[in-house]
């Protein structure tokens, strides 16, 4: 039996562990498939407070992880394969680990994050951190006065293209269809931005470059009588086709929205199950930033402490 079980790592999970340790709750953390979360796949980070010269994603996560360890967090490798949540307040929850361990916990903080959706090209992995990104807010600064492309036709793609247009010299918006799925306001803003060029009915077939990304291979009207292949020269390639919240293990128990993000009772991090809380990108379809994830990890640990005090 543990007081607090934190499922997942990253800024939310590790920050929750820091606050839980300081409250004397002796948290156990299972890091999941990717120790440190999505930030470990990011190169330079220049928008996390306290690092004016910037820091790499792996370094930042090591720092936060080591902070939690120093305070006494029990951080373990492994991932949760099944959960059995009690619906009555005060009853223990059970989590089943891939190595056969069964954990009983008075409270659980879910911090499993959300994974960016990719096109599935081998080149996306090849140029990861060398031109390919799934977060314009995180990495757009590195492409000031340069040429970038954004893939997608929804609100997220339009918002990211507009954001990048304020930094980059030119932005290509690669849209698979001949219309934008975004709201009328977002779509109109894109169309009125002079340095955004929309490439209609286009799909990306590959990326190229010697020591980093230099361009993309595109096809327009694939499978039609007007099919056309061409290349564009770009320095950055941004995926904006959505995120996938890592909630499959929990969806039978906790309430989620139609996209799979866990619903919380704002302004708290409480879910519909007493003693179960959610922090970070797993419950955040809007911001998805390291600093906001860390903040919600703090909130979740404080919510768990207050829940335990009230029992």
């Amino acid at each position: 039996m543990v007081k607090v079980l934190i499922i997942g790592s990253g800024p939310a999970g590790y920050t929750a562990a820091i606050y839980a340790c300081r409250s004397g709750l002796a948290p156990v953390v299972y890091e999941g498939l990717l120790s440190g979360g999505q930030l470990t796949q990011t190169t330079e980070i220049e928008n996390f407070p306290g690092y004016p010269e910037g820091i790499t994603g792996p370094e930042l996560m090591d720092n936060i992880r080591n902070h939690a360890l120093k305070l006494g967090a029990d951080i373990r490798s492994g991932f949760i394969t099944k959960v059995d949540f009690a619906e009555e307040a005060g009853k223990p929850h059970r989590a089943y680990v891939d190595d056969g361990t069964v954990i009983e916990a008075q409270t659980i903080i879910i911090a499993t994050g959300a994974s960016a959706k990719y096109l599935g090209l081998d080149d996306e992995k090849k140029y990861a951190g060398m031109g390919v990104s799934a977060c314009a807010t995180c990495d757009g600064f590195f492409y000031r006065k340069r040429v970038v492309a954004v893939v997608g036709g929804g609100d997220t793609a339009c918002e990211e293209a507009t954001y990048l247009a304020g930094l980059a010299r030119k932005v290509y918006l690669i849209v698979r269809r001949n219309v934008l799925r975004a709201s009328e306001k977002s779509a109109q803003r894109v169309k009125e931005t002079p340095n955004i060029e929309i490439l209609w009915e286009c799909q990306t077939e590959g990326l190229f470059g010697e020591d980093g990304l230099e361009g993309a291979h595109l096809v327009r009207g694939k499978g039609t009588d007007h099919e056309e292949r061409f290349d564009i020269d770009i320095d950055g390639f941004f995926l904006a086709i959505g995120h996938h919240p890592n909630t499959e293990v929990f969806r039978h128990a906790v309430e989620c929205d139609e996209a799979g993000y866990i619903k919380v009772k704002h302004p708290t991090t409480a879910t519909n199950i007493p003693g179960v809380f959610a922090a970070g990108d797993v419950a955040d379809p809007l911001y998805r930033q390291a600093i906001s994830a860390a903040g919600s990890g703090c909130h979740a640990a404080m919510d768990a402490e207050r829940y335990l005090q009230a029992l």
Side-chain angles (χ1 to χ4, degrees):
M1 173 68 73
V2 300
K3 290 183 178 179
V4 179
L5 171 64
I6 300 170
I7 303 175
S9 47
Y14 290 152
T15 302
I18 289 170
Y19 274 78
C21 284
R22 286 177 56 83
S23 298
L25 300 180
V28 171
V29 182
Y30 272 92
E31 294 184 297
L33 293 172
L34 186 61
S35 173
Q38 295 292 314
L39 278 190
T40 58
Q41 299 179 323
T42 302
T43 50
E44 291 297 320
I45 297 172
E46 292 191 331
N47 57 2
F48 198 92
Y51 297 95
E53 304 302 321
I55 187 171
T56 68
E59 285 178 314
L60 177 61
M61 294 322 304
D62 277 345
N63 288 348
I64 303 176
R65 185 179 191 273
N66 288 335
H67 191 166
L69 285 170
K70 184 176 180 180
L71 291 175
D74 182 353
I75 300 179
R76 306 177 183 181
S77 297
F79 61 95
I80 305 302
T81 60
K82 177 185 174 184
V83 293
D84 182 9
F85 291 158
E87 295 188 6
E88 183 180 341
K91 296 291 185 180
H93 305 291
R94 288 188 179 86
Y96 300 80
V97 191
D98 61 320
D99 64 1
T101 302
V102 180
I103 302 287
E104 286 197 340
Q106 289 178 277
T107 64
I108 288 181
I109 296 173
I110 301 171
T112 47
S115 304
K117 294 180 181 177
Y118 286 82
L119 298 174
L121 304 172
D122 289 338
D123 291 335
E124 289 173 314
K125 298 178 182 178
K126 178 179 178 181
Y127 295 104
M130 296 189 297
V132 172
S133 171
C135 181
T137 308
C138 308
D139 300 326
F141 180 81
F142 302 110
Y143 298 92
R144 292 179 66 87
K145 308 301 180 185
R146 303 173 80 178
V147 180
V148 300
V150 176
V151 180
D155 281 310
T156 299
C158 288
E159 289 166 8
E160 300 225 331
T162 303
Y163 172 78
L164 289 166
L167 299 169
R169 185 173 79 252
K170 182 180 180 64
V171 179
Y172 291 106
L173 182 59
I174 303 171
V175 182
R176 186 173 60 178
R177 300 165 62 188
N178 60 0
V179 295
L180 292 171
R181 293 182 292 103
S183 65
E184 185 177 345
K185 186 175 181 180
S186 292
Q188 192 61 31
R189 188 180 296 119
V190 165
K191 293 173 182 177
E192 292 174 352
T193 303
N195 61 332
I196 297 179
E197 180 180 345
I198 303 176
L199 300 176
W200 301 106
E201 294 185 80
C202 286
Q203 298 179 52
T204 306
E205 294 203 318
L207 305 171
F208 62 88
E210 291 297 324
D211 299 318
L213 181 66
E214 296 177 5
H217 302 299
L218 305 184
V219 56
R220 176 181 283 118
K222 187 173 183 178
T224 68
D225 56 4
H226 60 273
E227 182 175 293
E228 171 195 4
R229 282 177 166 75
F230 62 99
D231 293 343
I232 55 173
D233 295 327
I234 53 174
D235 303 296
F237 185 78
F238 290 84
L239 282 303
I241 54 177
H243 283 71
H244 175 77
N246 302 317
T247 54
E248 287 84 356
V249 174
F250 314 107
R251 290 184 191 180
H252 71 283
V254 297
E255 189 177 355
C256 300
D257 67 14
E258 60 184 15
Y261 289 91
I262 295 175
K263 290 184 177 182
V264 295
K265 299 176 181 178
H266 291 293
T268 76
T269 61
T271 69
N272 61 303
I273 302 296
V276 177
F277 307 90
D281 289 5
V282 75
D284 177 16
L286 183 59
Y287 297 106
R288 294 193 300 268
Q289 297 297 300
I291 189 64
S292 55
S296 69
C298 158
H299 297 166
M302 294 177 71
D303 289 339
E305 179 189 13
R306 289 168 180 164
Y307 171 84
L308 291 169
Q309 288 176 342
L311 290 178

